[in-house]
Amino acid sequence: MASPRILLAGGGTGGHLYPALNLAAAFGRLAPEVECVFLGGRRGLEARVLPDAGYEFRLLPLQPLYRQRAWRNWRLFASAPAVIAGVRRAFRDFDPRLVVGTGGYVAGPALAGARLHRVPAAIQEQNAAPGLVTRLFAPGVDQIHLGYPEAEARLRVGRARLSALGNPVAPGADGAAGSGGSAGSAPARFDWPPGRNLLVFGGSQGALGLNRAFLRDLEWAARDAAAWPDGVSVVWIAGPAHAAELSARTSELPFAGRVRVVPYIDDLGRQLGGVTLALCRSGAMSLAELCAAGRPAVLVPLPTSAGGHQLTNARALAEAGAAEVREEGDLEAGELWSLCRDILTDDGRLARMSEAAASRGRPDAALAIAREMLTLVDRCAA
């Protein structure tokens, strides 16, 4: 008898793909007899990641949905027949007993296929402001798992069982958690500077707006280099396209020895043990990793995030006491560095924020969510 299969659909960005991969790893731990297969898009990150992930997968010719420039959506309609045919073939060949959508353009067709084929379906929504696919399909699925409890107020739920178990981060190598990589493999350990470290990052490719703002702040701080706090260092993940230029610019500053610019840290979420405070964007999975490791943050949400979801994520953590929020368009020179310096040198404030972050952390969320979802596989088998 063939192994029961779970079809996971999510991608376009790491924020949708890695939750699916982390859930697949959790399914493997809880039910080794279950086989996980993936549905993705040819244009997304999954096209590069899935070939090395060890799972069977299919990629569809999906096109993005343009919210502001609607006339460009003709490609979406033109690709629809091929996408529909690809979904039909995936259901015929994989015969899944459960479909899990984790967001992105591919999740919609997969959840629609589950409804058509009468297969149980579940959604894992990462953000405090639910995405379009979640909002559309929430009334018709069997389970909805929220990364933020605040998302419930923004959803119209039908018969689905709803829970807020957190976002599914991967097991950490140093007590933290992380996205990407297999559950049992440890990443090459990053050499964090001794003392207190400010981690600056904007995602795997860097964040141009955040990079520019922080460089301006460091140049502002150079006017009074003696004010650099003792025992504080900066590790700045600038992204592959920006690291060389920013490294050259910071090398000219009087405190250059306290600032290390790197293009990328492999499997960052599993290496947060050396971080004291983060200055970063507010993507749901990045925040889940920070909270799972009990690390507070100063958040600068991406201004162009769909539906303003990054700002909503950031405000939720700020209200919990785990973060401070600054909007990119309102920043003044020196503001970010001054705020980070003040937190790093205030033991009481740092401890309170760290405790609040840990209280929002869900390091075992992947296992808890997978355990709930497996009841749908059992129901289908019955």
Side-chain angles (χ1 to χ4, degrees):
M1 182 178 178
S3 300
R5 287 172 170 162
I6 298 175
L7 176 65
L8 296 108
T13 66
H16 295 311
L17 175 61
Y18 287 118
L21 286 168
N22 294 339
L23 285 173
F27 287 132
R29 287 181 60 183
L30 294 172
E33 73 280 5
V34 170
E35 181 181 353
C36 290
V37 295
F38 282 78
L39 199 62
R42 295 175 186 170
R43 297 164 53 100
L45 177 69
E46 59 269 30
R48 300 197 305 272
V49 172
L50 288 178
D52 298 322
Y55 300 102
E56 191 173 355
F57 65 94
R58 299 286 175 84
L59 299 178
L60 304 178
L62 291 154
Q63 298 293 325
L65 174 66
Y66 294 98
R67 300 167 189 260
Q68 304 298 327
R69 294 170 288 177
W71 64 89
R72 298 187 63 181
N73 286 324
W74 67 268
R75 294 184 180 88
L76 182 66
F77 295 104
S79 66
V83 170
I84 293 170
V87 171
R88 285 176 174 170
R89 283 195 295 271
F91 273 81
R92 180 193 65 204
D93 296 342
F94 292 144
D95 189 25
R97 292 188 181 175
L98 171 65
V99 174
V100 177
T102 60
Y105 302 125
V106 70
L111 292 170
R115 182 176 299 179
L116 181 65
H117 291 83
R118 298 184 179 180
V119 174
I123 290 173
Q124 196 281 313
E125 170 58 53
Q126 298 88 45
N127 294 290
L132 177 62
V133 169
T134 297
R135 298 196 308 272
L136 287 176
F137 287 91
V141 300
D142 298 276
Q143 291 181 7
I144 301 172
H145 297 276
L146 305 178
Y148 285 78
E150 292 85 355
E152 181 177 359
R154 298 168 179 260
L155 285 175
R156 181 171 59 89
V157 179
R159 57 184 171 82
R161 178 178 178 181
L162 189 143
S163 62
L165 298 171
N167 278 316
V169 296
D174 56 7
S179 60
S182 62
S185 61
R189 187 170 293 276
F190 184 75
D191 182 23
W192 297 100
R196 296 187 175 185
N197 288 309
L198 172 66
L199 171 66
V200 183
F201 71 101
S204 60
Q205 301 304 311
L208 183 59
L210 183 59
N211 282 346
R212 287 173 173 169
F214 191 64
L215 177 63
R216 181 181 66 173
D217 275 28
L218 290 183
E219 291 173 342
W220 173 89
R223 299 182 304 177
D224 185 11
W228 189 278
D230 292 338
V232 170
S233 299
V234 173
V235 174
W236 187 355
I237 305 176
H242 313 298
E245 177 189 354
L246 293 175
S247 181
R249 294 281 292 272
T250 56
S251 69
E252 300 172 357
L253 299 175
F255 39 72
R258 310 297 296 186
V259 180
R260 186 190 304 179
V261 180
V262 297
Y264 187 71
I265 295 178
D266 184 49
D267 213 354
L268 172 66
R270 300 176 71 193
Q271 305 208 64
L272 293 173
V275 175
T276 311
L277 176 70
L279 169 62
C280 58
R281 295 300 197 194
S282 48
M285 292 305 293
S286 292
L287 300 190
E289 291 167 346
L290 288 170
C291 288
R295 302 300 185 260
V298 172
L299 303 176
V300 185
L302 177 66
T304 56
S305 63
H309 71 266
Q310 284 210 10
L311 180 58
T312 306
N313 293 345
R315 285 175 173 167
L317 276 197
E319 290 171 3
E324 294 282 348
V325 182
R326 297 294 184 271
E327 295 191 51
E328 187 174 303
D330 299 333
L331 289 174
E332 298 180 0
E335 183 175 357
L336 290 176
W337 169 243
S338 296
L339 176 58
C340 292
R341 181 193 60 200
D342 290 348
I343 296 173
L344 285 164
T345 55
D346 185 336
D347 290 347
R349 187 178 184 183
L350 192 59
R352 289 190 298 273
M353 293 180 68
S354 298
E355 184 178 354
S359 73
R360 293 291 298 243
R362 301 290 184 271
D364 296 324
L367 288 171
I369 295 169
R371 192 173 289 112
E372 291 292 322
M373 289 183 176
L374 284 170
T375 64
L376 297 176
V377 176
D378 295 338
R379 191 189 76 184
C380 187

